[in-house]
Amino acid sequence: MTPPPQRRGRKIALAAFALSARGLEQITMLVVMLLAARFMLPADYGIYSIAVICVTLIQTLTYTGFYHFIITSPAEDRSVLNTSFWLLFGLGAGGALLLVAAAWPLAIVFEASELAWGLILLALAQPIASIEAWCAAVLLRRQAVNRHFLVMFTQNVVGLVVGVALLWSWQSIYALVAFRYAKLLVSTTLYLVSMRERPSFTLDRGLARTAMSFSGGLYGARIMTFAARYGADLVLGVMFSTTETGLYRFGNRVASGATDVVAQPMRSFAQTQFGAAGRAGLSFENQLARFAGTVTVLTGGIAAVILVFAADLVALMFQPAYLAAMTVTYALAARAVLAIGPFLLEPAAAAMGRTGIVMRFNMFGAVVSIAAVFAAAPFGLAALAWAQAGTSALLSLGSVYVLARMGNLKVWPAMRSFAVALILVLAYALVLYATREALHARIDDPTIALVAGLASAVILGLGAMAVAARLRVFQLAAFSG
């Protein structure tokens, strides 16, 4: 049954706002990091990147485990909210202490004294970040997705302005640290002002044990995912120099930053929808197919734009040294598209309460990924990046197998959606490449040619999405909370 035009228009508007709100977070980080790369040499960029990678582990743990428990637990609201607050705050504070203790030893290992001060300053923000995560999870539990994204949108507008202003006037890794503090303080304040809930000084020990049991698998899984995703950066920093790390992080930031513009908001929608289906005792087959197709269309479209136009953009805006990172950018853009299996596995397993499966799978994936890093690193950045992309494809197939076995789910509709979406993405990339070549043959000015090419990418992308919607592999239902 086709929804009435008003309802369909409202869904489109809400979907666009949600994507812009969460996508703006990735755009803000991408713009600020690219601006930093414009002013900094790859070696300095690499120092800050290593510090951010270490802090990212704590941030990753903050937004999983107890965070998922808040969203999915069927227990009484006040007990869940109070207990989970103190568990999350303890996680953030404990992580901060570990980072502070490790700061100087890591600076010695990577032979970069500025790394220690950057790590210490970033670590001290983690207890505040745990409060931010609690507020976001509470809103998602209430299915107040629009309010959540409104806070996020406002926070990122402020963050973008502050970040650009700081870097423009103060080209230093400490400007990037100050940007992260400003962004965090704004978001936490907005969340607390926009919601009624406040934690009390009570902790249900029985519920805390349940939360820890539930979260253990997810934490293990995220640690393994972290090792797989950032192992290459750390190996480069230890085996080579911060210059190679800077180049790899730059290529990774361009690829993952652009694709995360859509992948991250879709992750929030998936967590909410799978969690709601799990609490209601419903099957996940519709959600699997819905997100497999929709996420592939969106991330694949952005990856196609990266493959066609990234080198032109870097040549115009950045120091020539960063062109060496382009092969990394291409490979990791492909990796983002091929990672649909793990994207689906985690929210489905969390909604089933079977997080241990995710931990074991991600442990296996981390071992394979790290082995690929060590095997490929001696052959250069390009081999290292494409090894990561190939590993991602294999792990996606493994994730589909685990999903099928885990809940006796029918995964063929999801695989069909992914396959059709991937064919559409490849067709879009070919048309986009032909368009770029035609523009460069007719336009001498590279800046005008790039602008015209990106405008064509938007127009052609909207057409591709319309075709995907007609084929039912791109669904607006994926954008609801």
Side-chain angles (χ1 to χ4, degrees):
M1 179 178 178
T2 303
Q6 296 89 346
R7 184 180 174 189
R8 184 177 179 83
R10 184 171 179 273
K11 278 190 174 183
I12 293 173
L14 290 175
F17 175 72
L19 276 178
S20 64
R22 189 60 190 264
L24 184 59
E25 180 178 14
Q26 305 306 317
I27 292 171
T28 298
M29 299 301 295
L30 181 61
V31 168
V32 170
M33 294 304 289
L34 292 181
L35 189 60
R38 182 176 177 85
F39 291 128
M40 296 179 184
L41 293 172
D44 296 328
Y45 189 83
I47 292 172
Y48 177 73
S49 296
I50 292 170
V52 169
I53 289 169
C54 296
V55 173
T56 297
L57 174 59
I58 307 303
Q59 293 176 332
T60 298
L61 297 180
T62 301
Y63 279 88
T64 192
F66 300 140
Y67 179 87
H68 282 86
F69 183 76
I70 294 171
I71 298 172
T72 61
S73 174
E76 190 269 328
D77 268 7
R78 291 312 309 168
S79 295
V80 170
L81 300 188
N82 293 335
T83 300
S84 297
F85 175 86
W86 295 110
L87 292 174
L88 268 176
F89 188 80
L91 177 67
L97 290 174
L98 287 175
L99 285 176
V100 170
W104 285 108
L106 287 172
I108 294 171
V109 170
F110 290 102
E111 299 179 352
S113 59
E114 278 192 300
L115 175 61
W117 291 113
L119 263 176
I120 290 169
L121 291 172
L122 290 171
L124 294 177
Q126 297 317 299
I128 303 173
S130 68
I131 299 174
E132 178 195 43
W134 179 80
C135 294
V138 171
L139 288 183
L140 291 178
R141 181 180 177 87
R142 302 283 187 239
Q143 295 187 298
V145 177
N146 293 331
R147 198 191 322 168
H148 168 62
F149 283 124
L150 179 61
V151 171
M152 189 174 291
F153 182 85
T154 307
Q155 164 220 358
N156 285 304
V157 169
V158 175
L160 181 59
V161 173
V162 170
V164 170
L166 282 170
L167 271 173
W168 202 266
S169 58
W170 184 23
Q171 289 88 44
S172 163
I173 66 170
Y174 299 110
L176 294 169
V177 172
F179 153 72
R180 284 183 169 259
Y181 265 91
K183 191 168 175 289
L184 177 61
L185 291 172
V186 168
S187 64
T188 305
T189 302
L190 289 174
Y191 274 126
L192 290 172
V193 168
S194 68
M195 54 191 290
R196 296 188 304 272
E197 286 85 355
R198 295 290 184 273
S200 66
F201 292 95
T202 59
L203 189 145
D204 184 326
R205 293 185 179 182
L207 189 62
R209 287 191 292 270
T210 301
M212 289 179 184
S213 175
F214 170 88
S215 303
L218 287 176
Y219 285 132
R222 281 298 175 92
I223 290 172
M224 294 299 104
T225 300
F226 174 86
R229 183 165 187 176
Y230 295 104
D233 305 76
L234 299 177
V235 167
L236 283 171
V238 174
M239 291 178 61
F240 301 102
S241 70
T242 55
T243 298
E244 279 80 7
T245 302
L247 288 172
Y248 190 88
R249 283 306 299 162
F250 176 80
N252 195 344
R253 185 70 262 176
V254 172
S256 63
T259 53
D260 279 353
V261 167
V262 295
Q264 290 299 331
M266 297 311 297
R267 195 177 303 278
S268 294
F269 286 126
Q271 289 170 350
T272 304
Q273 291 190 29
F274 277 99
R279 290 195 301 270
L282 302 176
S283 171
F284 300 145
E285 291 163 12
N286 290 335
Q287 284 83 1
L288 289 173
R290 178 184 303 157
F291 284 99
T294 303
V295 172
T296 302
V297 168
L298 294 174
T299 57
I302 292 176
V305 175
I306 291 171
L307 289 170
V308 175
F309 294 110
D312 296 338
L313 181 64
V314 171
L316 283 174
M317 296 186 62
F318 300 98
Q319 300 180 42
Y322 285 101
L323 285 170
M326 284 300 92
T327 52
V328 174
T329 301
Y330 301 149
L332 298 185
R335 181 183 72 171
V337 181
L338 297 172
I340 188 66
F343 177 97
L344 296 171
L345 178 60
E346 185 172 303
M352 289 180 182
R354 303 183 65 180
T355 57
I357 291 176
V358 185
M359 185 185 72
R360 291 191 293 273
F361 178 82
N362 283 12
M363 185 179 297
F364 168 76
V367 170
V368 172
S369 297
I370 293 172
V373 167
F374 279 102
F379 300 98
L381 291 177
L384 180 62
W386 282 109
Q388 294 296 293
T391 302
S392 182
L394 293 175
L395 292 177
S396 244
L397 291 175
S399 298
V400 172
Y401 174 78
V402 172
L403 279 167
R405 291 291 301 273
M406 180 175 62
N408 293 320
L409 299 175
K410 295 179 181 177
V411 296
W412 285 110
M415 294 180 68
R416 174 195 170 277
S417 292
F418 170 75
V420 174
L422 190 60
I423 292 170
L424 287 173
V425 165
L426 292 173
Y428 171 66
L430 291 173
V431 173
L432 204 56
Y433 178 76
T435 302
R436 179 208 177 263
E437 293 298 298
L439 289 171
H440 276 268
R442 291 170 173 78
I443 302 174
D444 294 329
D445 189 317
T447 302
I448 296 175
L450 177 60
V451 171
L454 293 176
S456 300
V458 173
I459 296 169
L460 292 169
L462 292 174
M465 288 171 62
V467 173
R470 174 77 63 176
L471 295 174
R472 301 287 298 163
V473 295
F474 178 82
Q475 299 183 35
L476 289 176
F479 301 93
S480 66

